[in-house]
Amino acid sequence: MKRRIFAAAVACAATFAGLLGTAGAAQAATSVTFTPRTVTSPHDHQYVAALGSVQLAMTAGQTAYVYSTLRANKASNTTLIDNEVRCSSTSGWTKNEVLGQNVLIASATSAPASLRDISVTTRFLVHPGAAGTVTCTTYLRSANLGLGNSTVSLVGGELKFADTSVANTTAGTPPQADDGDTPPGRVIGLSSAAPTVREPASAVIEMAPVTGLSVFGDMELMACYPEPKDGCPVNSMTARVTLFVNQWKADGTVCKTDSSASVTAVVRRDVHHLVVPLNTRFAAATGNGCVPKFTFYVKTDWLSGSTGAVQMAASSLPDAVGSASTHNDAMSHAFAVAY
């Protein structure tokens, strides 16, 4: 079975239309829902379809929170499903994020229902750094992992600006940590020899006084990496994924820490790559030397099974079906929204 590793291996060109074609750039909505439909995906390249777009006129210092989610099930064969969001501004700024996993064939009733009926959410902060109109578009990327074509039901989903005025750090930057698209295609291995990854990780960020932070850490985990020539000898990888949030004192020591958002994830060989979303509400401490300085990071610990990886970035993704042009995306990332 063909394995998906978010790279150019599946970027062969094809020539048939997308579900909706290119979403209208002139659309001024700040939220849009996706129409349910049946998606047909090939096995020898990626199917790419724009599902909807949102727009927001932004000032140079403004930061917004963009949120995209989609749900897919009833797969006729195990199929790659990616939720990609590409944002660009009239100022020339761009940012792309993608997360995804394989939805298992519907007839695999011995597998957990959550792997046959999946929801994939891609969310991040938008900060162009210059005044302009920002357009964000959700793209469905899919490919059949067997021979021939597969069909999948896109149940629905939405794209929206969940918050159009997110508090920046005192330096005027968004409280966000991800790999961007540099270096392209970055993957960090996990194994018994290298069992811990502490990325994505923020630098120390200073905020104006806040009640607290809602901190997100969305991870893309991969099993069986690098995949042996003769296939993976172990059927899954197990890893513990924990979101850490720290607040600091004025003297540079830790004031408060939180690691309550933690998941033990099993990445099956047939799922191959798994989205692990984490979120915690961190109430800011006051007194006793505590100041509004914070750090946050995601710690992934390999526990057992096959070798694996944390996927930080994707490279050489085809812009559209039949397109020779490609682009890079960020993947695993973390960010904070003050409340």
Side-chain angles (χ1 to χ4, degrees):
M1 180 181 291
K2 177 180 168 187
R3 305 292 181 199
R4 168 71 165 104
I5 312 183
F6 289 113
V10 290
C12 304
T15 55
F16 55 89
L19 291 176
L20 291 178
T22 302
Q27 184 175 342
T30 56
S31 65
V32 63
T33 57
F34 308 144
T35 304
R37 72 208 70 195
T38 299
V39 178
T40 300
S41 304
H43 78 282
D44 57 351
H45 59 271
Q46 281 193 6
Y47 180 59
V48 184
L51 299 181
S53 295
V54 293
Q55 280 192 338
L56 183 66
M58 298 184 67
T59 64
Q62 187 175 354
T63 295
Y65 166 24
V66 67
Y67 173 95
S68 173
T69 190
L70 59 83
R71 179 184 171 198
N73 60 23
K74 298 181 181 178
S76 65
N77 192 53
T78 297
T79 302
L80 163 71
I81 296 293
D82 281 352
N83 180 353
E84 180 188 36
V85 181
R86 298 183 225 167
C87 296
S88 62
S89 173
T90 52
S91 68
W93 167 92
T94 63
K95 183 173 178 62
N96 308 320
E97 296 267 358
V98 65
L99 291 172
Q101 65 186 67
N102 298 342
V103 57
L104 297 188
I105 185 171
S107 61
T109 54
S110 61
S114 61
L115 300 180
R116 293 177 282 118
D117 185 343
I118 69 170
S119 292
V120 179
T121 297
T122 301
R123 53 194 177 181
F124 56 97
L125 298 183
V126 171
H127 180 81
T133 298
V134 172
T135 301
C136 293
T137 302
T138 292
Y139 291 85
L140 170 71
R141 313 185 70 93
S142 66
N144 180 23
L145 299 183
L147 297 177
N149 295 334
S150 66
T151 59
V152 174
S153 175
L154 176 65
V155 180
E158 66 173 330
L159 170 67
K160 63 183 179 181
F161 286 106
D163 190 336
T164 60
S165 185
V166 175
N168 287 328
T169 69
T170 55
T173 58
Q176 181 161 257
D178 66 25
D179 205 46
D181 57 8
T182 305
R186 185 177 181 223
V187 178
I188 307 172
L190 283 167
S191 67
S192 58
T196 299
V197 172
R198 290 180 176 85
E199 292 194 52
S202 76
V204 176
I205 62 170
E206 183 173 2
M207 307 290 295
V210 295
T211 302
L213 299 176
S214 185
V215 183
F216 301 84
D218 294 340
M219 302 297 292
E220 185 81 48
L221 299 187
M222 188 198 311
C224 198
Y225 174 85
E227 185 166 356
K229 181 179 179 181
D230 298 326
C232 196
V234 182
N235 285 329
S236 65
M237 177 194 72
T238 301
R240 184 174 57 250
V241 188
T242 305
L243 175 61
F244 282 83
V245 185
N246 295 318
Q247 184 178 355
W248 299 85
K249 294 184 179 181
D251 64 6
T253 59
V254 173
C255 161
K256 179 182 177 181
T257 189
D258 185 303
S259 58
S260 59
S262 186
V263 171
T264 298
V266 177
V267 189
R268 291 168 47 128
R269 183 181 179 187
D270 46 4
V271 172
H272 193 246
H273 51 287
L274 183 73
V275 180
V276 181
L278 296 174
N279 172 233
T280 190
R281 284 177 66 87
F282 183 92
T286 58
N288 195 30
C290 300
V291 295
K293 290 185 177 181
F294 307 89
T295 54
F296 48 85
Y297 66 94
V298 180
K299 180 173 180 261
T300 304
D301 294 299
W302 180 92
L303 298 180
S304 63
S306 74
T307 59
V310 171
Q311 295 182 280
M312 295 297 295
S315 64
S316 302
L317 301 181
D319 292 346
V321 174
S323 172
S325 59
T326 63
H327 60 276
N328 301 328
D329 281 25
M331 296 185 70
S332 297
H333 57 279
F335 64 97
V337 177
Y339 62 86

